Amino acid sequence: MKDLSLHVLDIVQNALAAGAEQVRILVEESVPRNCLVIAVEDNGKGMSQDVLDRVTDPYFTTRTTRKVGLGIPLLKQNAEQCGGGLLIESAPGRGTRLVAEFVRDHIDRPALGDMPGVVAMLSGINQDRDFIYHHRVDERDYCFDTREVKQILEGVPLGEASVMRSIREMIGENLKDLEKAE
Amino acid sequence: MTKIKSLADLKKMKEDFQSKIALREKSEKPEGRVLIKVAMATCGIASGAKQVMEFLIDELDKRNIDAIVSQTGCMGYCYAEPTVEVTLPGKEPVVFGYVDEAKADSIIEKYIKNGELLEGIIPVNYETID
C-alpha cells in the first residue's frame, strides 16, 4: 500500500464484510509521544479465537476467489517495520477492534495519505452503513459522523458525486486546521 | 467560493445537491442506468482502485452519464487489478482489467458512450488457477 489511508480503506472492507452497521476509524498522532495510531472498530459479527489466531497469516482468507489474504499481514508488516505493531481484539457477536501503531518519525513510516478521500468514498458507496472518523493530533481533534451528515442532508444520497466532493473538502479543511496548529 | 468546513456549510449546499438529482431524474430513466463495480479488495486497493473509483465517480458526473458506481470484492483476477465491471442497460456485464485513469477514460468514451469494446477485457469463461 502506498500510504496509510489505503490500509484503512482495505481494513474497513473486512469490517463491511463482517456485516458491520457502524465503523469507527480513529487516527491519533502524537508529537510528544512520537506515535501514530490507527484504529478501526466495527460492530460486525466478530471472530472466534481460532480465526483470530490465523488472520495475520497471509495464507488465511475467508474468500473463495483466491487463496491468500494479505490485508492484515501487510498492515502488520508495515507497522512492525516502523517500530510499532498490530493488535486485534474480537469476539463472536461483539465486533472487532484493530489497532496499528507506528513510530511517527520512523524513516519507513508511510505518509498518512488521503484520509478525507477515503472517508468520503466509504461513506458514499456504503450508504447503508455509518462511519465515524475521529482524528486527533495531540490535544486537538476533529470528528466526522455520517449519522450527523445524513440528518442535515435529509435524504440526499451521500453517494452523489457532488456530495462526496463536498464531504472530502469538509474533512480536508478540518484536518488542515489540526496540522496547522502544530 | 468559500471552502466547506462545517455541517452548516454542507447544509447550505443541500438545495444544489437536490436540484442536480432532480434534473437528472427528469432526463433519465432508472432502467437506463449504467452499473459500474470497482473491485476493492486488498489486491485492487494496492493497485490503485481508489484513484480509479474517484476518477469514475467524478468524470461520469461531469460528463452527465447516469451511472451507479459501487464496489465489489476480489473477483480472482488479482493479476489484472484494478478491475472494473461495467453493465450497460440490457447487456451482459463486461470486466475490464488493468484499469488506470487513461483506461477508465476510454471505457467511458468508447464502451459506455458508444458500446465499442476495448482491449483488456477479461473473458467470462476465464478461470483462475488453483
Side-chain angles (χ1 to χ4, degrees):
Chain A
M1 299 291 168
K2 280 190 184 145
D3 59 47
L4 299 178
S5 72
L6 294 181
H7 276 298
V8 172
L9 179 60
D10 189 21
I11 296 301
V12 170
Q13 304 303 318
N14 295 344
L16 299 177
E21 284 159 12
Q22 196 186 86
V23 182
R24 281 177 187 271
I25 301 163
L26 172 78
V27 175
E28 191 170 359
E29 294 176 68
S30 170
V31 180
R33 284 188 288 129
N34 194 21
C35 70
L36 190 153
V37 178
I38 293 173
V40 177
E41 279 177 46
D42 70 64
N43 64 353
K45 64 184 177 188
M47 292 176 277
S48 63
Q49 190 59 45
D50 178 48
V51 174
L52 194 54
D53 289 342
R54 288 185 292 158
V55 286
T56 54
D57 175 358
Y59 293 100
F60 173 75
T61 179
T62 54
R63 284 186 196 280
T64 52
T65 54
R66 55 166 147 79
K67 293 190 167 177
V68 291
L70 301 180
I72 294 171
L74 286 174
L75 177 56
K76 183 173 191 251
Q77 182 187 36
N78 229 334
E80 287 173 354
Q81 277 174 350
C82 300
L86 182 86
L87 170 91
I88 308 172
E89 297 166 335
S90 186
R94 295 236 305 269
T96 298
R97 177 164 176 263
L98 175 146
V99 185
E101 192 173 334
F102 299 79
V103 170
R104 189 175 180 275
D105 70 356
H106 197 286
I107 189 110
D108 289 325
R109 180 179 70 80
L112 185 57
D114 178 24
M115 282 306 297
V118 164
V119 176
M121 179 184 286
L122 284 169
S123 312
I125 54 184
N126 303 287
Q127 296 181 54
D128 50 338
R129 326 280 185 116
D130 280 309
F131 296 90
I132 297 147
Y133 168 51
H134 196 169
H135 195 126
R136 189 191 292 269
V137 178
D138 296 326
E139 299 309 308
R140 303 176 297 280
D141 67 344
Y142 171 68
C143 192
F144 167 86
D145 189 332
T146 52
R147 292 170 301 183
E148 289 172 1
V149 175
K150 284 172 185 170
Q151 205 181 353
I152 62 144
L153 289 183
E154 295 168 325
V156 173
L158 268 51
E160 272 295 306
S162 51
V163 179
M164 282 168 74
R165 274 196 296 271
S166 304
I167 289 178
R168 182 185 191 167
E169 182 179 312
M170 180 177 81
I171 298 174
E173 286 301 305
N174 283 283
L175 294 194
K176 248 191 247 169
D177 274 6
L178 290 186
E179 300 297 335
K180 235 188 265 169
E182 252 179 62
Chain B
M1 205 184 79
T2 52
K3 293 270 187 186
I4 303 158
K5 209 175 157 182
S6 64
L7 288 173
D9 296 340
L10 204 58
K11 194 179 168 77
K12 276 184 215 149
M13 296 190 62
K14 197 178 88 185
E15 279 171 21
D16 291 353
F17 299 146
Q18 280 167 331
S19 61
K20 202 160 184 188
I21 297 166
L23 201 69
R24 194 184 52 223
E25 278 173 354
K26 225 187 274 175
S27 62
E28 302 258 356
K29 300 179 201 85
E31 61 270 25
R33 279 188 172 172
V34 181
L35 301 177
I36 298 173
K37 288 182 185 168
V38 180
M40 290 276 258
T42 307
C43 43
I45 295 170
S47 321
K50 170 178 172 277
Q51 204 184 344
V52 169
M53 162 98 64
E54 281 173 342
F55 179 86
L56 285 169
I57 292 172
D58 279 339
E59 290 303 314
L60 290 162
D61 179 56
K62 279 185 204 158
R63 300 177 201 184
N64 281 317
I65 296 167
D66 193 12
I68 300 173
V69 184
S70 63
Q71 59 169 32
T72 175
C74 171
M75 296 183 269
Y77 312 125
C78 307
Y79 66 93
E81 294 290 347
T83 55
V84 173
E85 184 190 276
V86 181
T87 313
L88 295 181
K91 294 243 174 94
E92 289 296 312
V94 174
V95 180
F96 297 90
Y98 306 104
V99 182
D100 54 11
E101 288 190 0
K103 184 79 171 278
D105 180 70
S106 352
I107 292 174
I108 300 175
E109 290 304 314
K110 293 191 175 155
Y111 185 62
I112 297 179
K113 286 194 180 168
N114 300 326
E116 281 172 52
L117 292 174
L118 308 167
E119 266 182 61
I121 290 175
I122 298 169
V124 276
N125 59 356
Y126 181 85
E127 284 183 17
T128 48
I129 306 146
D130 267 327

mmCIF file with all atom_site columns, all heavy atoms in Angstrom, chain B residues 106-120:
data_model
loop_
_atom_site.group_PDB
_atom_site.id
_atom_site.type_symbol
_atom_site.label_atom_id
_atom_site.label_alt_id
_atom_site.label_comp_id
_atom_site.label_asym_id
_atom_site.label_entity_id
_atom_site.label_seq_id
_atom_site.pdbx_PDB_ins_code
_atom_site.Cartn_x
_atom_site.Cartn_y
_atom_site.Cartn_z
_atom_site.occupancy
_atom_site.B_iso_or_equiv
_atom_site.pdbx_formal_charge
_atom_site.auth_seq_id
_atom_site.auth_comp_id
_atom_site.auth_asym_id
_atom_site.auth_atom_id
_atom_site.pdbx_PDB_model_num
ATOM 1   N N   . SER B 1 106 ? -11.135 5.829  -21.525 1.00 0.00 ? 106 SER B N   1
ATOM 2   C CA  . SER B 1 106 ? -11.594 5.178  -22.761 1.00 0.00 ? 106 SER B CA  1
ATOM 3   C C   . SER B 1 106 ? -12.811 4.299  -22.504 1.00 0.00 ? 106 SER B C   1
ATOM 4   O O   . SER B 1 106 ? -13.639 4.139  -23.393 1.00 0.00 ? 106 SER B O   1
ATOM 5   C CB  . SER B 1 106 ? -10.525 4.333  -23.455 1.00 0.00 ? 106 SER B CB  1
ATOM 6   O OG  . SER B 1 106 ? -9.297  4.461  -22.914 1.00 0.00 ? 106 SER B OG  1
ATOM 7   N N   . ILE B 1 107 ? -12.903 3.721  -21.300 1.00 0.00 ? 107 ILE B N   1
ATOM 8   C CA  . ILE B 1 107 ? -14.105 2.921  -21.004 1.00 0.00 ? 107 ILE B CA  1
ATOM 9   C C   . ILE B 1 107 ? -15.340 3.821  -21.091 1.00 0.00 ? 107 ILE B C   1
ATOM 10  O O   . ILE B 1 107 ? -16.351 3.449  -21.681 1.00 0.00 ? 107 ILE B O   1
ATOM 11  C CB  . ILE B 1 107 ? -14.000 2.244  -19.609 1.00 0.00 ? 107 ILE B CB  1
ATOM 12  C CG1 . ILE B 1 107 ? -12.906 1.166  -19.616 1.00 0.00 ? 107 ILE B CG1 1
ATOM 13  C CG2 . ILE B 1 107 ? -15.345 1.628  -19.196 1.00 0.00 ? 107 ILE B CG2 1
ATOM 14  C CD1 . ILE B 1 107 ? -12.608 0.529  -18.269 1.00 0.00 ? 107 ILE B CD1 1
ATOM 15  N N   . ILE B 1 108 ? -15.235 5.031  -20.521 1.00 0.00 ? 108 ILE B N   1
ATOM 16  C CA  . ILE B 1 108 ? -16.380 5.953  -20.574 1.00 0.00 ? 108 ILE B CA  1
ATOM 17  C C   . ILE B 1 108 ? -16.654 6.360  -22.022 1.00 0.00 ? 108 ILE B C   1
ATOM 18  O O   . ILE B 1 108 ? -17.772 6.226  -22.530 1.00 0.00 ? 108 ILE B O   1
ATOM 19  C CB  . ILE B 1 108 ? -16.136 7.223  -19.720 1.00 0.00 ? 108 ILE B CB  1
ATOM 20  C CG1 . ILE B 1 108 ? -15.915 6.867  -18.252 1.00 0.00 ? 108 ILE B CG1 1
ATOM 21  C CG2 . ILE B 1 108 ? -17.314 8.202  -19.863 1.00 0.00 ? 108 ILE B CG2 1
ATOM 22  C CD1 . ILE B 1 108 ? -15.558 8.048  -17.350 1.00 0.00 ? 108 ILE B CD1 1
ATOM 23  N N   . GLU B 1 109 ? -15.605 6.851  -22.694 1.00 0.00 ? 109 GLU B N   1
ATOM 24  C CA  . GLU B 1 109 ? -15.803 7.410  -24.034 1.00 0.00 ? 109 GLU B CA  1
ATOM 25  C C   . GLU B 1 109 ? -16.178 6.362  -25.069 1.00 0.00 ? 109 GLU B C   1
ATOM 26  O O   . GLU B 1 109 ? -17.042 6.586  -25.914 1.00 0.00 ? 109 GLU B O   1
ATOM 27  C CB  . GLU B 1 109 ? -14.539 8.159  -24.491 1.00 0.00 ? 109 GLU B CB  1
ATOM 28  C CG  . GLU B 1 109 ? -14.296 9.451  -23.734 1.00 0.00 ? 109 GLU B CG  1
ATOM 29  C CD  . GLU B 1 109 ? -15.477 10.426 -23.807 1.00 0.00 ? 109 GLU B CD  1
ATOM 30  O OE1 . GLU B 1 109 ? -16.023 10.628 -24.913 1.00 0.00 ? 109 GLU B OE1 1
ATOM 31  O OE2 . GLU B 1 109 ? -15.862 10.955 -22.741 1.00 0.00 ? 109 GLU B OE2 1
ATOM 32  N N   . LYS B 1 110 ? -15.506 5.200  -25.029 1.00 0.00 ? 110 LYS B N   1
ATOM 33  C CA  . LYS B 1 110 ? -15.748 4.208  -26.087 1.00 0.00 ? 110 LYS B CA  1
ATOM 34  C C   . LYS B 1 110 ? -16.830 3.202  -25.706 1.00 0.00 ? 110 LYS B C   1
ATOM 35  O O   . LYS B 1 110 ? -17.778 3.009  -26.450 1.00 0.00 ? 110 LYS B O   1
ATOM 36  C CB  . LYS B 1 110 ? -14.450 3.479  -26.431 1.00 0.00 ? 110 LYS B CB  1
ATOM 37  C CG  . LYS B 1 110 ? -13.453 4.422  -27.069 1.00 0.00 ? 110 LYS B CG  1
ATOM 38  C CD  . LYS B 1 110 ? -12.277 3.686  -27.644 1.00 0.00 ? 110 LYS B CD  1
ATOM 39  C CE  . LYS B 1 110 ? -11.359 4.654  -28.386 1.00 0.00 ? 110 LYS B CE  1
ATOM 40  N NZ  . LYS B 1 110 ? -9.990  4.153  -28.440 1.00 0.00 ? 110 LYS B NZ  1
ATOM 41  N N   . TYR B 1 111 ? -16.668 2.544  -24.545 1.00 0.00 ? 111 TYR B N   1
ATOM 42  C CA  . TYR B 1 111 ? -17.623 1.480  -24.231 1.00 0.00 ? 111 TYR B CA  1
ATOM 43  C C   . TYR B 1 111 ? -18.957 2.027  -23.725 1.00 0.00 ? 111 TYR B C   1
ATOM 44  O O   . TYR B 1 111 ? -20.013 1.684  -24.252 1.00 0.00 ? 111 TYR B O   1
ATOM 45  C CB  . TYR B 1 111 ? -17.031 0.478  -23.230 1.00 0.00 ? 111 TYR B CB  1
ATOM 46  C CG  . TYR B 1 111 ? -17.968 -0.685 -22.993 1.00 0.00 ? 111 TYR B CG  1
ATOM 47  C CD1 . TYR B 1 111 ? -18.323 -1.528 -24.059 1.00 0.00 ? 111 TYR B CD1 1
ATOM 48  C CD2 . TYR B 1 111 ? -18.540 -0.904 -21.754 1.00 0.00 ? 111 TYR B CD2 1
ATOM 49  C CE1 . TYR B 1 111 ? -19.214 -2.579 -23.863 1.00 0.00 ? 111 TYR B CE1 1
ATOM 50  C CE2 . TYR B 1 111 ? -19.433 -1.954 -21.547 1.00 0.00 ? 111 TYR B CE2 1
ATOM 51  C CZ  . TYR B 1 111 ? -19.771 -2.785 -22.618 1.00 0.00 ? 111 TYR B CZ  1
ATOM 52  O OH  . TYR B 1 111 ? -20.665 -3.816 -22.433 1.00 0.00 ? 111 TYR B OH  1
ATOM 53  N N   . ILE B 1 112 ? -18.918 2.903  -22.727 1.00 0.00 ? 112 ILE B N   1
ATOM 54  C CA  . ILE B 1 112 ? -20.183 3.372  -22.148 1.00 0.00 ? 112 ILE B CA  1
ATOM 55  C C   . ILE B 1 112 ? -20.954 4.252  -23.131 1.00 0.00 ? 112 ILE B C   1
ATOM 56  O O   . ILE B 1 112 ? -22.157 4.086  -23.327 1.00 0.00 ? 112 ILE B O   1
ATOM 57  C CB  . ILE B 1 112 ? -19.936 4.085  -20.797 1.00 0.00 ? 112 ILE B CB  1
ATOM 58  C CG1 . ILE B 1 112 ? -19.333 3.086  -19.803 1.00 0.00 ? 112 ILE B CG1 1
ATOM 59  C CG2 . ILE B 1 112 ? -21.235 4.693  -20.248 1.00 0.00 ? 112 ILE B CG2 1
ATOM 60  C CD1 . ILE B 1 112 ? -18.998 3.638  -18.438 1.00 0.00 ? 112 ILE B CD1 1
ATOM 61  N N   . LYS B 1 113 ? -20.259 5.183  -23.791 1.00 0.00 ? 113 LYS B N   1
ATOM 62  C CA  . LYS B 1 113 ? -20.976 6.082  -24.710 1.00 0.00 ? 113 LYS B CA  1
ATOM 63  C C   . LYS B 1 113 ? -21.341 5.414  -26.023 1.00 0.00 ? 113 LYS B C   1
ATOM 64  O O   . LYS B 1 113 ? -22.408 5.649  -26.567 1.00 0.00 ? 113 LYS B O   1
ATOM 65  C CB  . LYS B 1 113 ? -20.131 7.334  -24.981 1.00 0.00 ? 113 LYS B CB  1
ATOM 66  C CG  . LYS B 1 113 ? -20.111 8.298  -23.803 1.00 0.00 ? 113 LYS B CG  1
ATOM 67  C CD  . LYS B 1 113 ? -19.551 9.625  -24.264 1.00 0.00 ? 113 LYS B CD  1
ATOM 68  C CE  . LYS B 1 113 ? -19.523 10.626 -23.115 1.00 0.00 ? 113 LYS B CE  1
ATOM 69  N NZ  . LYS B 1 113 ? -18.724 11.817 -23.473 1.00 0.00 ? 113 LYS B NZ  1
ATOM 70  N N   . ASN B 1 114 ? -20.430 4.582  -26.583 1.00 0.00 ? 114 ASN B N   1
ATOM 71  C CA  . ASN B 1 114 ? -20.678 4.044  -27.921 1.00 0.00 ? 114 ASN B CA  1
ATOM 72  C C   . ASN B 1 114 ? -20.814 2.533  -28.015 1.00 0.00 ? 114 ASN B C   1
ATOM 73  O O   . ASN B 1 114 ? -21.030 2.003  -29.101 1.00 0.00 ? 114 ASN B O   1
ATOM 74  C CB  . ASN B 1 114 ? -19.550 4.462  -28.866 1.00 0.00 ? 114 ASN B CB  1
ATOM 75  C CG  . ASN B 1 114 ? -19.435 5.963  -28.980 1.00 0.00 ? 114 ASN B CG  1
ATOM 76  O OD1 . ASN B 1 114 ? -20.445 6.661  -28.927 1.00 0.00 ? 114 ASN B OD1 1
ATOM 77  N ND2 . ASN B 1 114 ? -18.225 6.454  -29.091 1.00 0.00 ? 114 ASN B ND2 1
ATOM 78  N N   . GLY B 1 115 ? -20.608 1.842  -26.896 1.00 0.00 ? 115 GLY B N   1
ATOM 79  C CA  . GLY B 1 115 ? -20.706 0.380  -26.935 1.00 0.00 ? 115 GLY B CA  1
ATOM 80  C C   . GLY B 1 115 ? -19.543 -0.299 -27.636 1.00 0.00 ? 115 GLY B C   1
ATOM 81  O O   . GLY B 1 115 ? -19.597 -1.498 -27.923 1.00 0.00 ? 115 GLY B O   1
ATOM 82  N N   . GLU B 1 116 ? -18.455 0.443  -27.940 1.00 0.00 ? 116 GLU B N   1
ATOM 83  C CA  . GLU B 1 116 ? -17.287 -0.174 -28.599 1.00 0.00 ? 116 GLU B CA  1
ATOM 84  C C   . GLU B 1 116 ? -16.479 -0.937 -27.565 1.00 0.00 ? 116 GLU B C   1
ATOM 85  O O   . GLU B 1 116 ? -16.221 -0.423 -26.479 1.00 0.00 ? 116 GLU B O   1
ATOM 86  C CB  . GLU B 1 116 ? -16.329 0.915  -29.108 1.00 0.00 ? 116 GLU B CB  1
ATOM 87  C CG  . GLU B 1 116 ? -16.707 1.574  -30.382 1.00 0.00 ? 116 GLU B CG  1
ATOM 88  C CD  . GLU B 1 116 ? -15.772 2.761  -30.636 1.00 0.00 ? 116 GLU B CD  1
ATOM 89  O OE1 . GLU B 1 116 ? -14.540 2.565  -30.578 1.00 0.00 ? 116 GLU B OE1 1
ATOM 90  O OE2 . GLU B 1 116 ? -16.273 3.865  -30.869 1.00 0.00 ? 116 GLU B OE2 1
ATOM 91  N N   . LEU B 1 117 ? -16.026 -2.127 -27.921 1.00 0.00 ? 117 LEU B N   1
ATOM 92  C CA  . LEU B 1 117 ? -15.207 -2.884 -26.974 1.00 0.00 ? 117 LEU B CA  1
ATOM 93  C C   . LEU B 1 117 ? -13.753 -2.418 -27.040 1.00 0.00 ? 117 LEU B C   1
ATOM 94  O O   . LEU B 1 117 ? -13.305 -1.899 -28.059 1.00 0.00 ? 117 LEU B O   1
ATOM 95  C CB  . LEU B 1 117 ? -15.314 -4.381 -27.265 1.00 0.00 ? 117 LEU B CB  1
ATOM 96  C CG  . LEU B 1 117 ? -16.703 -4.964 -26.971 1.00 0.00 ? 117 LEU B CG  1
ATOM 97  C CD1 . LEU B 1 117 ? -16.765 -6.420 -27.413 1.00 0.00 ? 117 LEU B CD1 1
ATOM 98  C CD2 . LEU B 1 117 ? -17.056 -4.852 -25.498 1.00 0.00 ? 117 LEU B CD2 1
ATOM 99  N N   . LEU B 1 118 ? -13.065 -2.631 -25.924 1.00 0.00 ? 118 LEU B N   1
ATOM 100 C CA  . LEU B 1 118 ? -11.673 -2.195 -25.841 1.00 0.00 ? 118 LEU B CA  1
ATOM 101 C C   . LEU B 1 118 ? -10.779 -3.392 -25.570 1.00 0.00 ? 118 LEU B C   1
ATOM 102 O O   . LEU B 1 118 ? -11.258 -4.437 -25.185 1.00 0.00 ? 118 LEU B O   1
ATOM 103 C CB  . LEU B 1 118 ? -11.489 -1.245 -24.644 1.00 0.00 ? 118 LEU B CB  1
ATOM 104 C CG  . LEU B 1 118 ? -12.386 -0.060 -24.482 1.00 0.00 ? 118 LEU B CG  1
ATOM 105 C CD1 . LEU B 1 118 ? -12.205 0.489  -23.093 1.00 0.00 ? 118 LEU B CD1 1
ATOM 106 C CD2 . LEU B 1 118 ? -11.981 0.982  -25.502 1.00 0.00 ? 118 LEU B CD2 1
ATOM 107 N N   . GLU B 1 119 ? -9.484  -3.175 -25.647 1.00 0.00 ? 119 GLU B N   1
ATOM 108 C CA  . GLU B 1 119 ? -8.551  -4.231 -25.255 1.00 0.00 ? 119 GLU B CA  1
ATOM 109 C C   . GLU B 1 119 ? -8.586  -4.405 -23.745 1.00 0.00 ? 119 GLU B C   1
ATOM 110 O O   . GLU B 1 119 ? -8.920  -3.482 -23.020 1.00 0.00 ? 119 GLU B O   1
ATOM 111 C CB  . GLU B 1 119 ? -7.135  -3.813 -25.643 1.00 0.00 ? 119 GLU B CB  1
ATOM 112 C CG  . GLU B 1 119 ? -6.724  -4.349 -26.999 1.00 0.00 ? 119 GLU B CG  1
ATOM 113 C CD  . GLU B 1 119 ? -5.304  -3.955 -27.316 1.00 0.00 ? 119 GLU B CD  1
ATOM 114 O OE1 . GLU B 1 119 ? -4.407  -4.360 -26.552 1.00 0.00 ? 119 GLU B OE1 1
ATOM 115 O OE2 . GLU B 1 119 ? -5.114  -3.233 -28.312 1.00 0.00 ? 119 GLU B OE2 1
ATOM 116 N N   . GLY B 1 120 ? -8.191  -5.572 -23.283 1.00 0.00 ? 120 GLY B N   1
ATOM 117 C CA  . GLY B 1 120 ? -8.055  -5.773 -21.845 1.00 0.00 ? 120 GLY B CA  1
ATOM 118 C C   . GLY B 1 120 ? -9.317  -6.285 -21.171 1.00 0.00 ? 120 GLY B C   1
ATOM 119 O O   . GLY B 1 120 ? -9.461  -6.198 -19.961 1.00 0.00 ? 120 GLY B O   1
#
